[in-house]
Amino acid sequence: MIEFENVSKTYGTTCVLGPVTGSIPSGGITSLVGPNGAGKSTLLTIMGRLLEPTTGRVCIGGLDVATTRGAELARTVSILRQENHVTARLRVRELVAFGRFPHSRGRLGPADREHIDAALSFLELEPLADRFLDQLSGGQRQRAFVAMVLAQDTSHVLLDEPLNNLDMFHAVQMMKRIRRAADELGKTFVMVVHDLNFAAAYSDRIVALRDGQVVAHDTVGATITDATLTDVFGTPVRVREIDGELTALYVRG
Amino acid sequence: MSATLAPARTAAPADATRPRLAPGARVAIAFGLALLALAAYLTLFTRGSFLFAVELRAPTAAAMVVAAFTQAVATVLFHTVTDNRILTPSIMGFDSMFVLMQTLLVWFFGGMILTQLAGVPMRLAQTAAMVLAATGLYRWLFSGRFGNLFVLLLVGVVLGMAFDSLSTFLERLLRPTDYDLLSVELFGRMTDVDPAFLPLAFGVCLLAGVVVWWRRHVLDALLLGRETSICVGVDHRRELTGVLVLVALLVSFSTALVGPMTFFGFLVATLAYQLTGTYRHAYVIPMAFAIGVVFLAGGQFVLQHVFYAAGFLTVVIEFVGGLLFLALLLKRRSL
C-alpha cells in the first residue's frame, strides 16, 4: 500500500507536480501514464525517496518515507531510474549482489547468494553474469539493473520506464517477467510506462497524469477509453479491442 | 612518463575477461614493492656511519608513508563519494584552502601565534578549523547543485586560484618576520620534515584507516551513485558529510607535512583502479597506498642516486600525474 498525501514539487515558481493525494493498493501492477512533463517520474521519484517533495508526505507499507531510516526503507521499497550509470567497473553479478546490501550490509550469506542467483535466472542473465556492465548493450544493462532491484526482495518496486532501451522482443519479455513477479511473488509494482498498449495489456491499474495533476486513477478498463486518453494526451486517441486486448490507436491522430 | 602511462592503458583489456591474479595477490605484490622501495631508500648507498644515515633518512621515509597514505585514501574516498574519477581534493582546492587558513591565522594574530601555539594543540585547532570550513564548502558544492562534472572542475579550479591569490596577497602585507615564520610553517618538504609532528600524523592515519576499514562495505555501495545507493539503503547525505570530514582531515595533515601536491593523489588512485582488478575498497585503498609509497620512496631513491636530482621528486610526480590527468580528461568526450 502506497499512500501519498498532498504531495507537490515546485522548482522556483514552477510547479511540476500536484498537490496530489491518493493511494495505490498492495499487489499487482500500477502504471503511471501521461504526456511528457506531466509529473509521472517526479511522483515516482518522490515515492522512492530520491526527491524531496515541496509539500506533503508519502507512506509505503506503513513507513513514512521522509522519516524512516534508509536501511529499513530499503527492505520495503526499491526504485530503478531510467538512467543508471556506475563509475566503477562492475560485473553483472556484482551489481545484482548490491541489491542484497540492505539485508547483508555487504557481507553476503548463503541466503543472499540464493536471492542473487534467483534474480539472475529470473531475468535470464546467467550467461552474462561475469561480464562487465560496460560490455553489455543498453537492454542487457537495463535487465541487470532490474535483477538488482528484484534481488533486493522488497514488497514494493518502483520502476521508471523499465522498457526504455528495449526492443519489441525484450520489452515483451520484460513485461512478462514483471507480471510474473507480481503474480508469483506478490510484489507491488508501480511503473512509468510510455507505451499505452503495454500499460493496458499488463497493468491492473492506471494512474493518468497531466500538468502535474492526477486526471484518472482506476482499473485498466475504466481508464483506457477514448475520452480519458484523448483528454490526458491532448491528441485524438481511439481505443479498440483487438483479440481481446484494449489497444490504443493514436499514430494518425 | 610514457612508461608509467602504458600499464594503465594496457591493463584495461587484460582484466576484461577474468582477473588473472586475485586482487589480494596484487595488493600483496604492491606492498612488497613498497617495502622494497622503502628499504632501498633507507639503507642503500650510505657513506660513513650506516646508523647515522638511516637516522637521517628515517623521518623522510616516515613522511613519505604518511603522504602516500593521506593522499591515496583522501583521493579514493573523494572519488567514491562524489561519483567521479577525475576530480580530486587537491584539484578542487583543498590544499589551497589549508594554506589560506594558515595565512589568515598569521594575518590576524601575527607570526608569534605560530611559535606560541606550536605543538599538538595548535595542529589540532588548525585541523579542526580546516575540517569545518572544507566540509561546509564542499558539501554545498557536491549536494547536486552543479550536475555537470566540468562545471564542478571549473568551480574547483577557480576556488583554488582564489584561495591561492588571497594567500599571496595577504602574505605580501605581512611583516617580514611574520612571513618568515609562516613560510617555515607552510612550505613543508618531503626531505625536511619536523619529526615531532610525525607521531600525531601516524595517529591520524591509523584512525582514518580504522574508520575506512569499518565503513568499507558502505563505501562500496556508494560506488553505485547517489540514487542507486539511496535505493539500497545508504544514507547518502550522512556518508557525504562523513567522508568529506575525513578527506579534509587527511589533506590538512598531508599539506602540513609535505606541502601541496596537486596530481599525486590522482595518479596513485587512477593506477590503483586499473591494477587492483576489483572495485572493492578493501583492496583498492591499500593498493593506492602501496603505489604511493613505491612512487615516493622509489622515486626519491632513483632521483637521488641515479640522476643526482634529489629535490625534484614532487616536480616529476606532478608532471606525470598532470599528464595522466589531461589524458583522461580529454579521453572523456562527455560526462
Side-chain angles (χ1 to χ4, degrees), chain A residues 14 32 40-41 69-70 74 87 92 113 118 120 127-128 133 145 153 173 177 185 193 196 202 211 237 241 244-245 247:
Chain A
T14 346
L32 307 182
K40 312 178 290 286
S41 291
R69 284 193 55 227
T87 319
V92 172
R113 289 183 205 288
L120 284 170
L128 304 175
L133 285 181
F145 275 98
D153 194 29
Q173 293 294 316
R177 288 182 185 119
L185 310 174
V193 181
L196 278 176
Y202 289 96
D211 300 329
V237 181
E241 198 170 311
E245 302 286 351
T247 307

Side-chain angles (χ1 to χ4, degrees), chain A residues 45 48-52 69-71 73-74 77-81 83-91 94-95 97-102 105-108 130 132 135 145 148-149 152, chain B residues 11-13 15-19 79 83-85 213-235 237-239 277-280 332 335:
Chain A
T45 37
R49 57 142 163 16
L50 298 181
L51 191 67
E52 248 174 68
R69 284 193 55 227
L73 208 53
V77 59
S78 52
I79 178 165
L80 182 64
R81 296 299 313 275
E83 298 286 330
N84 293 292
H85 175 78
V86 180
T87 319
R89 233 166 152 247
L90 296 184
R91 293 171 202 282
E94 291 167 342
L95 177 76
F98 273 120
R100 298 305 299 166
F101 188 79
R105 305 306 289 175
R107 289 178 185 79
L108 296 177
D130 288 319
F132 283 107
Q135 297 169 327
F145 275 98
M148 180 190 106
V149 166
Q152 205 172 331
Chain B
D15 66 18
T17 49
R18 273 217 155 263
H79 279 173
D83 195 22
N84 85 89
R85 294 221 159 148
W213 182 255
W214 170 52
R215 305 296 289 168
R216 64 193 187 281
H217 295 300
V218 179
L219 289 169
D220 289 343
L222 279 170
L223 285 174
L224 296 170
R226 180 186 166 269
E227 293 191 335
T228 314
S229 67
I230 292 176
C231 174
V232 298
V234 174
D235 187 341
R237 200 178 308 184
R238 205 186 69 188
E239 298 303 329
T278 177
Y279 63 92
R280 287 177 197 276
R332 310 162 54 107
L335 184 59

Side-chain angles (χ1 to χ4, degrees), chain A residues 129-152:
Chain A
D130 288 319
R131 290 251 211 115
F132 283 107
L133 285 181
D134 55 14
Q135 297 169 327
L136 302 182
S137 70
Q140 291 169 330
R141 203 174 308 142
Q142 182 80 349
R143 269 157 62 202
F145 275 98
V146 173
M148 180 190 106
V149 166
L150 287 185
Q152 205 172 331

Side-chain angles (χ1 to χ4, degrees), chain A residues 179-207:
Chain A
R179 189 68 249 178
R180 244 181 74 204
D183 295 340
E184 292 174 12
L185 310 174
K187 294 181 187 299
T188 308
F189 283 90
V190 181
M191 59 178 89
V192 173
V193 181
H194 261 298
D195 190 316
L196 278 176
N197 295 327
F198 272 114
Y202 289 96
S203 310
D204 299 300
R205 285 169 300 276
I206 301 282
V207 177

